[in-house]
Amino acid sequence: MSTEALKSPSAASDASLKGQAATFWRDRSLRERQALGAGFVALIAVLIWLTLVQPAWQTLREAPAQLDEIDRQLQQIRATATEVTALRAVAPVSAPQAAAALKTATDRLGAAGRLSLQGDRASLTLTNVASDDLYDWLTEVRSTARSRPIEASLSRARQGYSGTIVVTLGGTS
């Protein structure tokens, strides 16, 4: 039995391809071989750039902005945690004091805010309130009345926010 018969068909085709490639290369002139070699090197360089260098370069470009955003978020979380700790340390406010604080905060909104009290909850109806005024109201209600929003249904238009916010009265937050 000959060794050619023992070779697998894929090994024979591999040898055939190698032979064809070697013949192809030998049949080319020096100039053509140099051009093919340069093209092959350029192709490898482009593949290396696309798979290894460009993704790393893009990460390096985007990393500072992402780190700044993460730092900003961390500072915001720390500020909120500090505020929560401070609010928990303060004694609870009685329901009448909370109601008075809510009324005072709502009076600052003028005709744009209408407050109604129902047991341990208060409902604020807003009509075209500016975002800064709404933020100030929520901040004041949280700190002075020890109330927190439990339900909100707001819509935003050019004139401001409209809708309702339901808060708990002090001592239940």
Side-chain angles (χ1 to χ4, degrees), residues 7-129:
K7 288 186 180 177
S8 67
S10 64
S13 66
D14 285 348
S16 168
L17 287 176
K18 285 181 186 178
Q20 288 176 356
T23 302
F24 174 81
W25 189 256
R26 277 193 311 267
D27 290 345
R28 301 294 131 218
S29 68
L30 177 63
R31 187 177 211 176
E32 287 177 322
R33 283 187 269 177
Q34 288 174 340
L36 286 172
F40 183 71
V41 168
L43 177 66
I44 295 298
V46 167
L47 289 175
I48 288 173
W49 172 265
L50 290 175
T51 58
L52 300 175
V53 177
Q54 186 185 24
W57 196 312
Q58 185 175 1
T59 300
L60 285 173
R61 270 186 307 189
E62 294 173 356
Q66 290 175 344
L67 287 173
D68 289 344
E69 176 64 19
I70 290 169
D71 284 343
R72 188 192 61 75
Q73 290 175 356
L74 180 61
Q75 289 172 356
Q76 191 175 21
I77 289 170
R78 285 181 177 163
T80 303
T82 302
E83 183 181 356
V84 166
T85 303
L87 287 174
R88 285 186 178 164
V90 176
V93 175
S94 68
Q97 288 174 325
L102 283 170
K103 286 179 185 175
T104 302
T106 304
D107 289 344
R108 290 193 182 96
L109 294 175
R114 193 179 58 222
L115 185 69
S116 66
L117 300 170
Q118 301 118 4
D120 66 340
R121 294 182 179 192
S123 178
L124 174 69
T125 303
L126 303 168
T127 308
N128 297 329
V129 173

Side-chain angles (χ1 to χ4, degrees), residues 100-169:
L102 283 170
K103 286 179 185 175
T104 302
T106 304
D107 289 344
R108 290 193 182 96
L109 294 175
R114 193 179 58 222
L115 185 69
S116 66
L117 300 170
Q118 301 118 4
D120 66 340
R121 294 182 179 192
S123 178
L124 174 69
T125 303
L126 303 168
T127 308
N128 297 329
V129 173
S131 60
D132 289 341
D133 293 339
L134 179 58
Y135 176 80
D136 292 342
W137 184 86
L138 286 168
T139 302
E140 185 174 350
V141 163
R142 187 174 179 183
S143 63
T144 59
R146 311 289 191 280
S147 296
R148 62 182 172 92
I150 56 171
E151 185 178 324
S153 174
L154 298 173
S155 61
R156 185 174 185 193
R158 268 187 236 158
Q159 302 86 3
Y161 288 95
S162 297
T164 59
I165 298 177
V166 178
V167 297
T168 60
L169 292 180

